[in-house]
Amino acid sequence: MSALKAGWSTPVKPHAIEPVHKLKYRPQGKVLRDFHRDSSYMRALIGPLGSGKTQASIVEILHRIMSQPISKDGTRKSRWLCVRNTLPDLESTTIKDFKAITEGMGIGTWRNVSPVTCTIETVGTDGIPVNAEILFRSFDSGLDEKKARGMQLTGTWLNELKELNKSNVDMILSRVGRYPNRAECPDSWYGAIADSNCPDSDHWLGKFMQADK
């Protein structure tokens, strides 16, 4: 896959020409290409600053939203949680980068008061309605895991994974795969993606990476 391309169209009045919102994106190298090809439950991009991790993560979320299996009500529906460790970092990086891509495409309605939410209600180029909700939350200390309790999610993006508390990560991961429910969409994909700079060897993520070798 030399390039990942997706087409979006928005509902318009009858007899009007439907504008198609396209995102043209070229992954920076084999690692990112493999990341997009993989449908595993959990995938993490570990690399240096400027290696394209954030953009790849946002594109992957949008791709998953638009390619969700069709639910019994005839729509592609999903709900994502995008996570950063602190509110300032969430607002200045995660939300800012996500908003730049969606606004550049002309999709997404933003609720800009806390908690920030982006709603995508559109129609795919195949004519199937798409209904997605993307939630943005900060998880700083171990006490923040209560923010995830009760959430019903399709997927999550753990932005800068090494900065997150492991107990928060475990709680968040326990909430994916709950929307849409299996009776409504038995073939729904669900899972988690993450990105991070390389952790120290004694960090919980570093230990996990070593154990996984």
Side-chain angles (χ1 to χ4, degrees), residues 94-108:
T94 313
I95 293 173
K96 182 180 178 182
D97 292 339
F98 207 107
K99 187 176 289 189
I101 290 178
T102 57
E103 289 187 345
M105 295 169 59
I107 62 170

Side-chain angles (χ1 to χ4, degrees), residues 8-164:
W8 289 264
S9 61
T10 55
V12 293
K13 296 179 180 180
H15 310 301
I17 299 174
E18 292 190 359
V20 177
H21 303 274
K22 291 185 177 180
L23 171 65
K24 292 186 178 181
Y25 158 76
R26 186 176 296 277
Q28 298 180 31
K30 182 179 184 300
V31 171
L32 296 187
R33 289 197 298 271
D34 290 345
F35 170 75
H36 292 303
R37 289 181 177 132
D38 195 341
S39 291
S40 299
Y41 164 76
M42 177 71 184
R43 288 167 289 156
L45 289 169
I46 309 296
L49 184 69
S51 57
K53 304 186 300 296
T54 297
Q55 185 184 37
S57 297
I58 296 170
V59 169
E60 180 67 12
I61 292 171
L62 295 174
H63 172 68
R64 292 289 168 182
I65 285 172
M66 298 304 298
S67 60
Q68 264 287 86
I70 303 170
S71 296
K72 288 184 177 180
D73 65 358
T75 66
R76 301 185 191 275
K77 58 178 63 176
S78 56
R79 182 181 296 125
W80 281 76
L81 173 66
C82 299
V83 176
R84 191 68 188 259
N85 61 317
T86 68
L87 182 59
D89 285 338
L90 180 75
E91 293 175 337
S92 65
T93 57
T94 313
I95 293 173
K96 182 180 178 182
D97 292 339
F98 207 107
K99 187 176 289 189
I101 290 178
T102 57
E103 289 187 345
M105 295 169 59
I107 62 170
T109 300
W110 287 82
R111 180 180 182 271
N112 291 315
V113 297
S114 185
V116 174
T117 303
C118 176
T119 301
I120 296 177
E121 293 180 334
T122 187
V123 177
T125 52
D126 57 3
I128 304 299
V130 174
N131 191 326
E133 186 179 26
I134 304 112
L135 316 172
F136 295 83
R137 303 289 187 274
S138 61
F139 285 75
D140 195 353
S141 71
L143 299 176
D144 280 348
E145 63 181 76
K146 64 180 181 293
K147 294 181 181 180
R149 289 178 185 150
M151 284 188 173
Q152 309 293 315
L153 303 171
T154 308
T156 184
W157 171 29
L158 306 170
N159 188 206
E160 288 299 340
L161 179 60
K162 78 168 188 175
E163 304 298 334
L164 295 171

Side-chain angles (χ1 to χ4, degrees), residues 156-201:
T156 184
W157 171 29
L158 306 170
N159 188 206
E160 288 299 340
L161 179 60
K162 78 168 188 175
E163 304 298 334
L164 295 171
N165 185 291
K166 189 175 184 300
S167 64
N168 287 336
V169 171
D170 291 341
M171 174 60 76
I172 293 165
L173 292 179
S174 74
R175 308 313 302 174
V176 304
R178 296 171 179 267
Y179 182 86
N181 64 57
R182 292 302 185 185
E184 185 179 11
C185 187
D187 298 323
S188 174
W189 177 89
Y190 66 89
I193 61 174
D195 69 279
S196 179
N197 292 324
C198 191
D200 294 332
S201 59

